[in-house]
Amino acid sequence: MKIAVIGKGGREQALVETLAASPCKPELYCHPGSDAIARTASIIPAKGFDELLQWMADNKVDLCVAGEESCLVKGEGIANRCAALGIPCWGPRKESAQLEASKEFAKEFLLRHRIPTGMAKAVAGYDEAVAAIGGQYPTVLKFDGLAAGKGVAVCPDAVSAEAFLKEVFIDKRFGEGRMLVEEFLTGPEISIFGAICDDKYLILCPARDYKRLQDGDAGPNTGGMGAVASRQLVSAEVLKQIEETIVAPTVKGLQQDGLPYRGFLYFGLMLTPQGPKVIEYNCRFGDPECEAVMPLLRGDLATFCLEGAKGNFQPGLIDFADDWSVCCILASAGYPASSHSGDLISGLNECAARVFHCGTKKTADGWVTAGGRVLAIVAQGPTLEAARTAAHAEAAKVDFPGSQRRSDIAYKNM
Ligand code: AMP
Ligand code: GLY
C-alpha cells in the first residue's frame, strides 16, 4: 500500500510514523515533508499542488492522508481533486472543510443543527463590531478565515477589543474578511477527535492542549505549547454527553446538509457549567495533540484510513492504550510573533523520549531550528504523574539559543 501524507510538521511526522508502523507495512510518501520526515517517508518530488496530484496519479498512490488544513481548501481542495482522479483521500471535501475555514459557516452549522455553542453575531466592519459587542466584556472576537490559530482574541475590555478590531479591519493583518463577535464561555477546554466516515464515526483518544505561550496560561495564544492525552482525561459520563449532544448531531448534520466527510474531525470544546459547548471545528488532527495521541494508538491505522477513505468504515482496526501521554513543545526565540531559524539544537541524542520535529532542518553541523514551534518531545506512562515527569525531564535535555518551553504542561488544568 502506498500512502502520501500532506504536511510537514510534528503532526505529520507522528502520522507518518504511526502509519508506517501499521502491520500492513505501507510505503510512505510525504509532501512537502521535512528532513525529519524523510527518515521514514520518501519526499514527493513535486512543486505545488498540480504536480503533487499528477505524481500521486502517476505513482498509483493508494491513499492520500491530509495532515494539515490548508490543502483541504486550496484551489478545488485536495479531497475533491483526489476524488476526480480516483485516489481515496482521508480528509474531507472542500465544501465540508468550510467547518474549519469559515467560523461563520461553522457557527451557522452549529445553530442550524442545535449543537451547543456560544451565541455569536457576524460583522463586516469596525463600527458594526463595536455595536455587536454592546459594551459587554469579556468578549471573544474571531476572524472568519484560516489564521494559523492567531485569528481569535479573548478581550477583557474595550481597549484590547479595539486593538484587535484595528488589526483585523484597518491593518488587515489576516487579509479581507468578516468577524464573529462571540459570547465568552468559561470552563476547562478539551480536544475531542472523531474519525468520520459518512454517517459513521469513532471517537478517538481525547486530549488537552495548552495554547498560551507561558506558564500559568500567560502570554499570547500560540499554535499550542504542549498537550496531554489519555482515555482517562474525560469521564465516561461526560464523554457520553459529548457524543450525544455534539459528535452524533454533527455527523447527522453533515449528512443532512449533503457535506461529504471522510477524515479526522477535531471538536474544540469547552466544558461549561451548562455542559460541553463547541468552540471550534478543525477538519484534521490537532497539533500538538496528534504528537501526544499517536504514540497511544494500537492497531492498523493505515488500513483504517484506507478503508475509511473508500467508505468502508472499520472502527475495530484501531484502539488506544490506557496510558497517559504528555507532549512538551520547544519553540524558537520570538515565537509566536516571529520565529528564529538556524539555531543549533543540542541534546537530541541524550533525549530518551520520542521527538517529533515541528520546524527543523538538518545541516552539516546537526539539526537547527527552522520555524516557530521547533520540537515536540513526548513521553508515555501508566499514570499522569509518570508521563509528565518523563516528558519534562526528557525535554529539559534538549536546548537551543532562545528556546521557549512551558514547565506546567500536564500540571495545570488537570
Ligand atoms: P479557537 O482558535 O477558536 O480555538 O480559539 C482559541 C482559543 O480562544 C480557545 O482555545 C479558547 O481558549 C479561546 N476561546 C475561543 N472561543 C471562546 C469563547 N467563546 N469563550 C472563551 N474563550 C474562547
Ligand atoms: N492544537 C490546536 C490546533 O491544532 O488547532
Side-chain angles (χ1 to χ4, degrees), residues 5-19 28-34 37 40-41 65-69 71 284-287 290-291 294 356-358:
V5 175
I6 312 306
K8 63 181 169 124
R11 166 181 51 205
E12 286 76 21
Q13 189 188 344
L15 284 173
V16 160
E17 291 186 4
T18 309
L19 289 163
L28 266 296
Y29 298 86
C30 190
H31 174 85
S34 67
I37 290 173
T40 314
V65 175
E68 52 95 40
E69 61 274 23
C71 66
R284 42 143 179 109
F285 228 101
D287 191 349
C290 190
E291 291 94 309
M294 283 300 128
F356 299 115
H357 293 233
C358 310

Side-chain angles (χ1 to χ4, degrees), residues 57-138:
D58 291 347
N59 289 274
K60 302 198 168 33
V61 161
D62 297 290
L63 170 69
C64 174
V65 175
E68 52 95 40
E69 61 274 23
S70 70
C71 66
L72 299 170
V73 292
K74 201 158 107 186
E76 289 160 56
I78 198 154
N80 307 55
R81 294 281 303 268
C82 281
L85 294 168
I87 302 170
C89 180
W90 186 247
R93 303 288 180 99
K94 181 173 183 171
E95 52 275 29
S96 314
Q98 298 307 314
L99 277 186
E100 170 166 7
S102 166
K103 303 241 180 232
E104 197 175 335
F105 180 95
K107 189 62 78 177
E108 285 171 1
F109 176 92
L110 287 159
L111 296 175
R112 181 163 63 247
H113 297 292
R114 298 179 191 285
I115 298 165
T117 187
M119 284 299 122
K121 188 168 185 333
V123 296
Y126 193 103
D127 293 338
E128 211 188 327
V130 172
I133 296 168
Q136 293 284 333
Y137 295 98

Side-chain angles (χ1 to χ4, degrees), residues 11 209 211 223-224 266 280 282 284-289 373:
R11 166 181 51 205
D209 74 345
K211 289 200 173 71
Y266 164 157
E280 63 165 349
N282 292 312
R284 42 143 179 109
F285 228 101
D287 191 349
E289 292 98 322
R373 287 187 290 178

Side-chain angles (χ1 to χ4, degrees), residues 118-337:
M119 284 299 122
K121 188 168 185 333
V123 296
Y126 193 103
D127 293 338
E128 211 188 327
V130 172
I133 296 168
Q136 293 284 333
Y137 295 98
T139 189
V140 183
L141 305 178
K142 300 187 169 182
F143 176 72
D144 186 33
L146 292 181
K150 290 161 196 157
V152 174
V154 178
C155 303
D157 50 35
V159 173
S160 55
E162 283 163 22
F164 190 70
L165 291 179
K166 178 174 173 293
E167 274 187 52
V168 170
F169 289 123
I170 297 170
D171 307 339
K172 302 210 188 288
R173 176 174 171 200
F174 309 110
E176 291 298 329
R178 288 153 65 92
M179 178 190 263
L180 283 187
V181 175
E182 188 170 293
E183 172 193 4
F184 174 74
L185 303 172
T186 54
E189 287 182 50
I190 194 90
S191 305
I192 295 290
F193 302 100
I196 315 288
C197 176
D198 306 329
D199 59 339
K200 303 183 187 68
Y201 62 85
L202 175 68
I203 297 177
L204 312 179
C205 177
R208 171 166 292 140
D209 74 345
Y210 291 77
K211 289 200 173 71
R212 299 298 194 102
L213 180 68
Q214 289 149 1
D215 282 5
D217 287 337
N221 259 327
T222 70
M225 291 298 290
V228 53
S230 170
R231 301 210 309 193
Q232 301 167 56
L233 198 58
V234 182
S235 71
E237 187 191 341
V238 172
L239 196 60
K240 183 162 177 278
Q241 196 183 6
I242 291 170
E243 177 168 6
E244 286 173 357
T245 63
I246 293 172
V247 179
T250 297
V251 173
K252 200 164 154 218
L254 288 167
Q255 292 276 299
Q256 281 174 354
D257 293 355
L259 295 170
Y261 207 110
R262 291 176 187 168
F264 296 121
L265 177 57
Y266 164 157
F267 302 78
L269 308 182
M270 201 170 263
L271 306 178
T272 77
Q274 294 80 39
K277 294 192 180 184
V278 176
I279 290 182
E280 63 165 349
Y281 289 116
N282 292 312
C283 297
R284 42 143 179 109
F285 228 101
D287 191 349
E289 292 98 322
C290 190
E291 291 94 309
V293 169
M294 283 300 128
L296 298 175
L297 190 140
R298 304 288 175 264
D300 191 337
L301 182 64
T303 308
F304 175 84
C305 294
L306 175 67
E307 291 302 323
K310 292 200 281 194
N312 179 21
F313 195 51
Q314 295 193 25
L317 284 173
I318 59 169
D319 197 3
F320 294 88
D322 272 329
D323 289 354
W324 289 79
S325 182
V326 173
C327 166
C328 295
I329 293 286
L330 269 71
S332 70
Y335 182 74

